[in-house]
Amino acid sequence: MKNELFVVAVVGAGVSGASIARKLSAYTCDTVVLEKECDVSFGVSKTNSGVIHGGFHYPTSLLKGRLEVLGNIMFDTLQQQLHFPFKRCGILVVAFTVEEMKTIEKLYMQGTANKIIGLEICNRERIHTIEPTLNADVVGGLHAPSGGVIEPYRYVFSLIESAKKNGVTVKTDFRVARAEKHNSHFLIHAENGERVRARFLVNAAGLYADEVSRACGAEGFHIIPRKGQEYLLDRNASGLPGKVVFPVPNPTSKGILVIPTPEGTCMVGPTAVEQEDKEDASTSQENFEKIFHSARRLIPKISERDIITCFAGLRPALSGGDFYIAESEQQPQLIQVAGIQSPGLTAAPAIGEYVKDLLKSAGLVLTERPDFDPMIDEVPRIRRLSPYEADELIRENPAYGEIVCRCESVSEAEIVAAIRRGHTTMDGIKFYTRAQMGRCQGGFCTYKIMKILQRETGMSIEQISKRGAESGLITGKVGNLTVQDVGKAAGEGKS
Amino acid sequence: MREKHCDAVVVGGGSAGLAAASRIASQGYSVTVLEREQELGGILNQCIHNGFGLQRFREDLTGPEYAERFVEAVQSHKNIEVLLDTTALEVSPGSIHSVYGYSRHEGVTKINARAIVLAMGCRERNRGNIGIPGTRPSGVFTAGLAQRLINIDGYIPGKRAVILGSGDIGLIMARRLTWVGVKVLGVIEIQAYPSGLTRNIVQCLNDFSIPLYLSHTVSDIRGRDRVSGVTVTPLEEGKANSEGKFDLECDTILLSVGLIPDNELSRKFGICLNPETGGAFVDGGLMSCVPGVFACGNVLHVHDLVDYVSEESERCASFVAEYLAGTYSSSHHPMTAGANVKYVVPNRYLPGRDNRFYLRSLIVKNKAELLISAGGEPLKRKRLAHVQPSEMVSFELSESELAGIPDPPENKLEVSIY
Amino acid sequence: MERKMVCISCPLGCRLTVRWSNEEDVTVTGNRCAKGESYAREEILAPKRVVTATVRTRAASGRRLPVKTSASLLKEHIPALLDRLYRMEVPLPVGCGDVLIEDIEGTGVDLVATRSLQGV
């Protein structure tokens, strides 16, 4: 079997891996991204809360603090190039007591030392003017206008799209089993037998960074999954805030937040509980009380009547509390990118830069690509257009007139755009288009999306899945039934 | 942009929209019906079971048969234009209202009309709404989606299923799944009594020995990629009793846990919604708080009998015609829900004419009595052989029955069940 | 032999007890009217059901045609009917009410289409 040869292999297509890949795509080094799921952004990055942090939670003595500050200011340019939903709506950290105001001051000092622009400490009147939906008991807080919110999966999708446009190869369903060095190249084996060679290996494997590190003969460390449960609230709910609202942080976590999303819905959460199982992203009823109690304390009008759905994600926690981004000492030419918890999303653009520099130090010669194009095409979204604009668009492309997801106003053209970009699962289409994310949670659009998928990809109905492999939807066709099948199902019925 | 003008726009070509459109057209007005699917009929198209039309036609029809009668009526009216494959996404309320219909063939069409009939029906309550904890595998379907996949497309959603909710939709699907080779392990019902018709308990569960677990709930869903099982927990006085819980191995869960009127477009008109029903507040003629915008059918309140939907929609259409003729009465008086009544629709009545109301009981009772009182004094009584929350009650107040009503403020009517 | 059942002829839902030793000797108790008696007898001696299902058509879209039995059918005939239904293919166009199978198993009950479908 011929081994494909690359210069850099990035393991993991979450926000870190995607940012690194896109950064590297500006250079002539052949880069491949190896992702174990059937689509990118299907791991930790999928359930990220989407907050672009304000750069005041951590000192710049910590790597994560420095990268957060650097990353934050890069988002405007990135949005212009990559068109993901992003709003620099601002962050508030609110205090209920004089004691808490002291913590606010500390955050302010930290942020100022980090050179964050626009930070202000607000008194009671000011903070309630800025955010009228706050609990009347809030006595003041920190206002960080540089904070914001994005749709994390759209961000990762767009980074990968841009990277691919500029020559990066992306291999999905490639789960790294092991890698050995032969003649200063890594020979990377996938569990399914596929093989790839690369001079440099970047381990950005999220929850599995520890296993990949070991499999590559590098450092042993332990990633502990830290589960966060969140609820998504309807955009029609009243009393939702316009800014991201934080409570005063405690030593272990930033607390339960109220997060307005760029699309007008609202997230409340996340919790933060460590566990053993890297696969267990189940939600529990116990967290419901805790989350709503905390959220209502900040924004009194938050109500469980407005819940659209609930889900949980796992953060890859590493002891030590900072990012581990460095060239491996045990395995030269391997760059570790591990323990990327909050503020990983905010830091991601800066992580890309940082890892590029680490690769350079490790011996990678960087030659800029003269034809690097930072822009990707913007796919029009019918819900953002006025009826007049929509009318013109439909005349150009009739598939824009076929409304598939009525809750989020998503047209067939957008579903097709998702599929043509490689998002061929129901979840992939959901993250790219928002279809199935709305009030009816796919009740009306599921069968339409399945038909479009069949038409565009030639998949059979049994091959269509929620998120790959074993998560199929349809198990058979009525047309293939025999009466024995029915007899078995009817069991000992009195037929 | 293509622009059209007509007297009334009906949003939705299901049972409510079809009945309303026919009646408005028969009064001589022009109607445009917007339907987002490629055929008329709405949800009836996938309800291939019988039990429809017993009241209205005294026949036992299937959903498609019932729909076809109304579709034929609409198609025979020259002054009804049907826009299929057209979704109403935007509106512009005003003295003349505009609705923007999106379709692949025509782009966006702006339709101007003085009257709008909202007949968009409802959507299903889903896992997100009821918050079943656990993992998020594939294999969790709302009953209506499963019904659509099986009955229209011929797709089988799984091999071993658990159904949550013993309303008629859940029961019908228990039988349908069995007849397409899916093993149904049980129907789980939160209440102490089933909410569907006894006929369906017998013919959909007993016939196939499918167990019905009353006072139970699904407390956990398991499975990494596809559902692998659920935990079923008994409820004691509404609270979960984890000592009695047990697991069922299945790969499919059907949720039949309620319907929610789909008022997204209604909000764009600025309509006031009634939190008790999930639909618009309407006056005695089923007109919302926005002049010229009416509502009928499931979008107004969730019905159980399509016969009532047709009746309500035709009644609404008569008022639309009056509105268009300029004879719509502005005199509407309060009708309120009294003891043991969850809601009554509409909650206004029109003096000096016949009125019809629909209500839901809060109690289960045989040999019950409906009592309508005015200013505290009994006005009318009606015997009801049997009431339960899942069976809507319809009653009339005729012009003569309303004749003796005192002047305000004693003119408030209240309906109660005893 | 004894069996308990709920009568479904009207919403009252009388709880019936049926006792029988052979076909002639059936006693029904618990019913408040004659409908209950005949319902119980039929359920014991010759239970019938209306069958509603879908059959394959030649539509390019794969759309299935809903069908029903024109009256309730003896339960014992249902498996054979389902077998035929799964093998059937109905050419289009078809009209609502069209008879697709006549006189199922000699019962006098037909299988009819419950909607019209054009040839698409």
Side-chain angles (χ1 to χ4, degrees):
Chain A
M1 183 198 297
K2 187 169 198 286
N3 300 328
E4 287 183 78
L5 174 58
F6 295 92
V7 177
V8 184
V10 179
V11 179
V15 74
S16 304
S19 299
I20 295 163
R22 198 222 175 203
K23 187 73 227 175
L24 293 176
S25 73
Y27 303 94
T28 54
C29 47
D30 274 336
T31 303
V32 65
V33 179
L34 306 172
E35 167 54 52
K36 73 170 173 13
E37 299 292 334
C38 69
D39 199 349
V40 303
S41 196
F42 267 18
V44 175
S45 299
K46 179 174 75 169
T47 48
N48 190 295
S49 313
V51 178
I52 301 302
H53 289 285
F56 51 81
H57 271 109
Y58 305 107
T60 45
S61 54
L62 290 175
L63 177 62
K64 67 183 178 184
R66 293 199 296 283
L67 294 179
E68 176 188 335
V69 169
L70 289 169
N72 173 303
I73 53 183
M74 294 164 83
F75 274 91
D76 302 285
T77 308
L78 284 165
Q79 186 193 30
Q80 280 165 26
Q81 295 169 345
L82 303 176
H83 319 298
F84 51 87
F86 167 52
K87 276 207 176 103
R88 217 178 261 284
C89 57
I91 286 175
L92 291 174
V93 184
V94 303
F96 289 84
T97 63
V98 167
E99 270 305 307
E100 287 192 338
M101 279 305 282
K102 296 208 178 106
T103 312
I104 297 289
E105 274 183 57
K106 289 208 186 88
L107 292 176
Y108 175 79
M109 302 295 284
Q110 191 149 261
T112 312
N114 293 350
K115 309 232 188 338
I116 302 299
I117 298 174
L119 275 182
E120 55 170 316
I121 298 188
C122 304
N123 63 12
R124 181 193 278 277
E125 192 186 341
R126 172 98 180 117
I127 205 162
H128 285 283
T129 308
I130 291 180
E131 186 52 71
T133 62
L134 288 175
N135 187 338
D137 291 344
V138 168
V139 302
L142 181 70
H143 175 213
S146 61
V149 286
I150 70 170
E151 272 198 354
Y153 27 82
R154 283 281 306 277
Y155 178 48
V156 178
F157 284 173
S158 67
L159 287 168
I160 292 289
E161 188 180 330
S162 176
K164 279 162 91 167
K165 183 174 180 180
N166 290 291
V168 170
T169 307
V170 176
K171 287 183 183 290
T172 52
D173 290 306
F174 191 113
R175 191 186 189 109
V176 170
R178 69 183 189 284
E180 310 111 22
K181 265 243 197 75
H182 296 290
N183 302 330
S184 83
H185 274 87
F186 287 100
L187 179 60
I188 307 165
H189 301 257
E191 268 181 17
N192 64 7
E194 234 187 306
R195 292 190 305 195
V196 144
R197 279 197 299 147
R199 268 193 65 212
F200 299 90
L201 193 153
V202 178
N203 174 15
L207 280 173
Y208 296 89
D210 50 355
E211 293 175 34
V212 169
S213 181
R214 268 197 301 281
C216 298
E219 284 80 354
F221 50 88
H222 188 40
I223 298 284
I224 300 157
R226 201 155 155 262
K227 186 187 282 184
Q229 183 167 322
E230 287 185 308
Y231 289 84
L232 175 67
L233 305 180
D234 196 325
R235 64 171 66 84
N236 284 330
S238 58
L240 295 181
K243 300 192 180 305
V244 186
V245 181
F246 284 67
V248 160
N250 65 50
T252 46
S253 103
K254 296 195 176 90
I256 304 266
L257 318 179
V258 181
I259 307 164
T261 70
E263 292 283 338
T265 51
C266 181
M267 306 273 276
V268 295
T271 51
V273 177
E274 292 187 354
Q275 63 181 42
E276 283 291 320
D277 191 346
K278 288 182 180 172
E279 306 266 294
D280 174 12
S282 59
T283 58
S284 77
Q285 188 57 23
E286 289 75 49
N287 287 325
F288 169 76
E289 305 285 327
K290 181 173 175 207
I291 291 174
F292 276 85
H293 176 77
S294 302
R296 261 199 284 272
R297 188 170 154 263
L298 303 173
I299 307 286
K301 282 212 173 149
I302 297 280
S303 164
E304 52 265 36
R305 271 196 313 272
D306 299 312
I307 295 175
I308 287 185
T309 192
C310 169
F311 56 86
L314 300 172
R315 309 167 184 81
L318 187 58
S319 62
D322 198 2
F323 293 165
Y324 171 27
I325 309 180
E327 186 180 3
S328 164
E329 284 172 28
Q330 274 174 230
Q331 185 64 281
Q333 289 153 245
L334 185 150
I335 311 292
Q336 305 274 27
V337 183
I340 312 299
Q341 286 193 82
S342 180
L345 180 72
T346 314
I351 292 177
E353 287 279 342
Y354 193 77
V355 169
K356 177 225 16 159
D357 290 332
L358 284 174
L359 283 165
K360 189 170 171 190
S361 304
L364 173 63
V365 175
L366 291 169
T367 314
E368 282 181 18
R369 293 177 60 125
D371 59 345
F372 173 68
D373 182 0
M375 306 290 295
I376 57 172
D377 289 337
E378 183 166 15
V379 170
R381 313 251 166 177
I382 205 88
R383 68 176 170 283
R384 297 218 171 286
L385 305 179
S386 73
Y388 294 91
E389 292 165 326
D391 188 46
E392 282 182 25
L393 184 61
I394 296 170
R395 283 174 204 294
E396 280 173 49
N397 182 354
Y400 271 104
E402 190 72 43
I403 305 300
V404 171
C405 164
R406 209 233 22 228
C407 299
E408 295 289 315
S409 303
V410 180
S411 67
E412 181 176 315
E414 298 159 61
I415 310 270
V416 169
I419 295 171
R420 293 195 182 160
R421 280 158 179 74
H423 307 298
T424 53
T425 60
M426 299 301 286
D427 275 2
I429 291 170
K430 175 171 77 175
F431 293 135
Y432 190 83
T433 65
R434 295 190 63 80
Q436 307 162 82
M437 254 186 217
R439 263 160 228 109
C440 87
Q441 290 283 287
F444 281 122
C445 60
T446 295
Y447 59 85
K448 296 190 188 208
I449 296 172
M450 291 185 347
K451 280 217 157 44
I452 298 168
L453 253 176
Q454 284 185 287
R455 188 191 73 209
E456 290 288 313
T457 64
M459 283 164 122
S460 74
I461 197 68
E462 284 104 324
Q463 289 174 308
I464 292 177
S465 69
K466 186 174 193 290
R467 49 171 182 265
E470 315 297 316
S471 64
L473 277 78
I474 301 297
T475 57
K477 291 195 190 153
V478 179
N480 297 337
L481 276 177
T482 65
V483 78
Q484 282 79 20
D485 297 324
V486 177
K488 263 189 266 164
E492 287 131 22
K494 300 169 182 66
S495 285
Chain B
M1 180 184 291
R2 202 172 68 143
E3 202 160 334
K4 285 177 177 295
H5 303 266
C6 60
D7 295 314
V9 170
V10 174
V11 185
S15 48
L18 292 170
S22 276
R23 176 61 66 87
I24 298 171
S26 67
Q27 304 290 306
Y29 295 101
S30 59
V31 184
T32 307
V33 176
L34 299 182
E35 169 52 52
R36 68 174 178 232
E37 293 290 329
Q38 291 178 338
E39 55 184 10
L40 293 169
I43 209 74
L44 288 171
N45 288 327
Q46 64 187 60
C47 296
I48 63 164
H49 52 282
N50 53 325
F52 300 91
L54 290 166
Q55 295 235 1
R56 185 180 175 96
F57 299 116
R58 306 229 179 280
E59 294 175 61
D60 192 5
L61 301 176
T62 61
E65 284 169 312
Y66 188 99
E68 192 143 319
R69 299 199 179 178
F70 288 84
V71 172
E72 277 170 3
V74 160
Q75 285 169 342
S76 68
H77 277 289
K78 290 199 183 28
N79 46 349
I80 299 181
E81 184 181 6
V82 176
L83 300 180
L84 292 174
D85 222 3
T86 303
T87 306
L89 265 197
E90 278 304 329
V91 308
S92 222
S95 49
I96 307 262
H97 303 295
S98 301
V99 178
Y100 297 88
Y102 286 49
S103 97
R104 80 158 73 231
H105 305 292
E106 306 289 346
V108 179
T109 305
K110 183 179 183 198
I111 307 139
N112 305 306
R114 276 190 299 133
I116 308 286
V117 178
L118 301 172
M120 295 88 75
C122 53
R123 63 177 188 270
E124 296 184 277
R125 195 167 261 117
N126 54 57
R127 182 193 177 172
N129 299 129
I130 61 175
I132 307 177
T135 55
R136 287 163 61 93
S138 67
V140 181
F141 300 89
T142 49
L145 173 60
Q147 188 183 54
R148 157 100 211 186
L149 291 168
I150 298 173
N151 291 345
I152 309 256
D153 300 311
Y155 299 146
I156 303 174
K159 300 191 155 69
R160 290 170 63 87
V162 169
I163 300 179
L164 180 57
S166 69
D168 288 317
I169 304 175
L171 299 177
I172 292 288
M173 286 312 293
R175 178 175 66 187
R176 191 81 188 101
L177 285 173
T178 306
W179 273 347
V180 295
V182 182
K183 178 81 186 158
V184 179
L185 302 171
V187 173
I188 320 291
E189 168 58 53
I190 276 193
Q191 309 274 31
Y193 47 85
S195 39
L197 298 171
T198 308
R199 177 168 99 154
N200 287 331
I201 303 283
V202 172
Q203 298 189 347
C204 302
L205 299 190
N206 298 353
D207 271 9
F208 307 106
S209 303
I210 295 173
L212 172 63
Y213 297 100
L214 295 172
S215 299
H216 279 70
T217 188
V218 170
S219 53
D220 188 44
I221 294 180
R222 281 186 302 287
R224 200 186 70 171
D225 301 306
R226 173 95 196 190
V227 171
S228 64
V230 295
T231 303
V232 180
T233 303
L235 298 169
E236 237 126 273
E237 283 165 19
K239 281 207 170 65
N241 172 14
S242 40
E243 283 178 32
K245 70 182 179 189
F246 57 93
D247 290 342
L248 289 174
E249 265 182 40
C250 57
D251 69 349
T252 307
I253 300 163
L254 251 62
L255 301 176
S256 169
V257 291
L259 301 172
I260 303 171
D262 217 354
N263 278 290
E264 292 328 300
L265 200 72
S266 317
R267 284 176 201 275
K268 297 190 178 189
F269 274 109
I271 271 169
C272 319
L273 292 178
N274 179 353
E276 204 56 71
T277 57
F281 271 117
V282 290
D283 63 17
L286 302 188
M287 191 168 83
S288 71
C289 63
V290 176
V293 180
F294 295 77
C296 56
N298 274 347
V299 81
L300 178 59
H301 60 126
V302 176
H303 288 256
D304 338 292
L305 290 185
V306 70
D307 311 60
Y308 285 172
V309 169
S310 304
E311 179 183 75
E312 179 179 79
S313 305
E314 282 164 347
R315 194 175 145 71
C316 175
S318 305
F319 286 107
V320 172
E322 285 181 23
Y323 179 82
L324 290 169
T327 59
Y328 193 79
S329 162
S330 55
S331 168
H332 299 253
H333 300 173
M335 160 65 88
T336 54
N340 300 319
V341 172
K342 182 164 160 59
Y343 69 77
V344 59
V345 168
N347 41 31
R348 296 279 182 278
Y349 70 93
L350 294 154
R353 54 194 299 172
D354 294 343
N355 284 259
R356 176 168 282 279
F357 303 89
Y358 302 90
L359 64 80
R360 281 202 187 273
S361 164
L362 281 167
I363 56 174
V364 181
K365 192 172 178 193
N366 284 341
K367 292 209 184 96
E369 183 182 76
L370 194 68
L371 172 65
I372 299 111
S373 46
E377 293 299 314
L379 182 72
K380 176 175 177 173
R381 292 174 205 274
K382 181 177 170 182
R383 288 246 195 84
L384 301 168
H386 176 79
V387 289
Q388 64 182 67
S390 61
E391 284 176 24
M392 186 176 286
V393 176
S394 170
F395 70 95
E396 269 188 339
L397 283 174
S398 67
E399 183 182 344
S400 51
E401 282 165 333
L402 289 170
I405 293 201
D407 293 330
E410 310 289 309
N411 65 334
K412 184 172 104 160
L413 293 185
E414 188 181 86
V415 59
S416 311
I417 294 181
Y418 290 104
Chain C
M1 295 214 283
E2 181 181 294
R3 203 171 119 198
K4 292 195 191 298
M5 63 178 69
V6 178
C7 178
I8 60 175
S9 310
C10 88
L12 275 182
C14 298
R15 293 194 177 325
L16 311 175
T17 306
V18 195
R19 292 188 186 84
W20 73 104
S21 45
N22 57 49
E23 274 198 16
E24 277 87 45
D25 188 22
V26 180
T27 43
V28 180
T29 50
N31 51 313
R32 276 173 267 205
C33 77
K35 280 201 247 174
E37 162 114 19
S38 52
Y39 170 75
R41 271 176 195 284
E42 199 175 77
E43 275 299 286
I44 298 299
L45 299 175
K48 294 187 186 147
R49 297 286 182 264
V50 170
V51 176
T52 55
T54 59
V55 297
R56 186 167 44 233
T57 68
R58 302 216 181 117
S61 60
R63 201 200 191 293
R64 295 180 68 81
L65 174 73
V67 299
K68 74 173 186 189
T69 51
S70 57
S72 54
L73 186 69
L74 284 172
K75 269 166 122 175
E76 67 204 52
H77 295 309
I78 294 180
L81 173 63
L82 289 179
D83 200 37
R84 278 184 81 171
L85 292 183
Y86 296 138
R87 293 172 209 289
M88 269 180 86
E89 191 175 83
V90 172
L92 299 181
V94 71
C96 181
D98 283 2
V99 175
L100 304 172
I101 302 176
E102 237 180 282
D103 196 19
I104 301 167
E105 307 283 324
T107 57
V109 178
D110 299 330
L111 184 81
V112 300
T114 55
R115 69 165 290 158
S116 311
L117 269 186
Q118 301 313 306
V120 181

